Amino acid sequence: MEKSQATEVVRVRGVEAVAARDWLAVERPLEIRARTDGAVRVVSTTMRTPGEDLALVAGFLFAEGVVKQASDLRALESVDEDTVLVELGSEADAALNATKRSFVTSGACGVCGRASLDGLMSAAAPATRGETRRIPATVIHALPAALRQAQTTFAQTGGLHAAGLFTTDGGCLAVHEDVGRHNAVDKLVGTLLLAGQLPAHDRILVVSGRSSFELVQKAIAAGVPLMVAVGAPSSLAVEMARTAGMTLLGFVRDGGFNVYAGAERLNGI
């Protein structure tokens, strides 16, 4: 399924109006189903941009604590273009009950409607305390532009968030886009999980918008020690980053940034 689609618009510039063709980011629901001991349940329905659906589901289940490693996913398949079915062991039942949503999750919210936040808070604490070499500010300044350069669908539509994984010297390893900021991170983390590349120590996560609680939690669960956001963090995001020993940077743009946690990982600060 395509990630963008054409539409007709009226483009106004000053007082002149002309008919034009524009592009929209595609948004569709994805139903996540889980089978345990033969029984199938709907875990969540999330609005997302089609593509990397299996990685999205793997990353979502990993961040929620339903799976700890790729081998916990006994089967993972697309039933149709808007449904993914995952097979799990019976030991996943308790975690699935904790992550149960009572309503559709929007593309803007990763933990809205979760039955309990206790597991999310406790699971994140020690994940990012590994050593990371000190990173110069010049590397940080260059990351948003590098992320933007890799956002192919955003360049066409202007309507997608992005999450990128970078090396500590600024090399771009992977970028995923989605209408939901948490979905973009889930796709990235899920891809790493399925490739056996977690925890992602000595890596930098860069997100195109703000850093909220759920994004920091997902990064910490993946073992990422440093997170860069173009926008602002929330109070709970900062609290969680400080508790977990993560470096959290916000407003990384226009040659500057704010350090909200973990300044010791930055060279000269």
Side-chain angles (χ1 to χ4, degrees):
M1 188 183 301
E2 296 296 325
K3 296 184 178 183
S4 62
Q5 67 181 38
T7 188
E8 300 302 318
V9 301
V10 175
R11 184 167 291 143
V12 179
R13 298 295 183 267
V15 296
E16 294 185 3
V18 296
R21 194 178 194 224
D22 202 356
W23 290 87
L24 302 174
V26 173
E27 181 177 28
R28 291 184 60 87
L30 178 69
E31 184 175 277
I32 303 172
R33 300 176 185 172
R35 179 190 291 122
T36 56
D37 293 336
V40 176
R41 74 178 81 178
V42 176
V43 176
S44 180
T45 300
T46 186
M47 305 305 295
R48 99 297 188 194
T49 298
E52 301 89 39
D53 288 338
L54 299 184
L56 189 162
V57 172
F60 168 78
L61 294 175
F62 178 79
E64 293 281 338
V66 176
V67 301
K68 305 296 184 184
Q69 54 197 1
S71 59
D72 292 338
L73 301 166
R74 297 183 177 181
L76 184 63
E77 61 177 328
S78 294
V79 176
D80 55 43
E81 61 184 19
D82 291 323
T83 309
V84 169
L85 175 65
V86 58
E87 184 169 350
L88 303 167
S90 57
E91 67 279 0
D93 280 339
L96 285 173
N97 288 333
T99 195
K100 183 179 179 182
R101 267 79 167 167
S102 58
F103 50 83
V104 174
T105 301
S106 76
C109 181
V111 297
C112 300
R114 196 179 196 273
S116 172
L117 294 180
D118 293 340
L120 288 180
M121 294 294 289
S122 61
T128 60
R129 295 199 182 279
E131 291 298 321
T132 299
R133 71 180 184 88
R134 295 176 71 86
I135 301 168
T138 52
V139 169
I140 301 299
H141 292 320
L143 291 173
L147 179 69
R148 179 69 174 270
Q149 187 175 9
Q151 291 180 250
T152 55
T153 308
F154 177 85
Q156 186 180 43
T157 67
L160 293 179
H161 292 284
L165 191 72
F166 290 79
T167 63
T168 53
D169 59 3
C172 183
L173 299 174
V175 172
H176 291 268
E177 296 180 285
D178 200 278
V179 288
R181 57 174 62 88
H182 72 282
N183 286 340
V185 176
D186 278 340
K187 287 179 178 181
L188 179 61
V189 173
T191 298
L192 296 175
L193 175 68
L194 295 174
Q197 296 176 358
L198 292 180
H201 296 322
D202 294 319
R203 294 290 183 258
I204 303 172
L205 173 65
V206 184
V207 295
S208 58
R210 64 185 179 89
S211 52
S212 56
F213 162 82
E214 74 263 26
L215 298 194
V216 171
Q217 178 269 326
K218 292 173 187 295
I220 294 170
V224 177
L226 197 159
M227 182 171 172
V228 168
V230 174
S234 69
S235 61
L236 192 55
V238 172
E239 178 184 340
M240 173 165 277
R242 290 175 178 173
T243 299
M246 166 189 267
T247 299
L248 179 62
L249 310 181
F251 296 107
V252 185
R253 58 189 188 224
D254 303 324
F257 56 85
N258 292 345
V259 183
Y260 293 92
E264 66 276 2
R265 288 194 177 91
L266 303 175
N267 192 22
I269 296 177

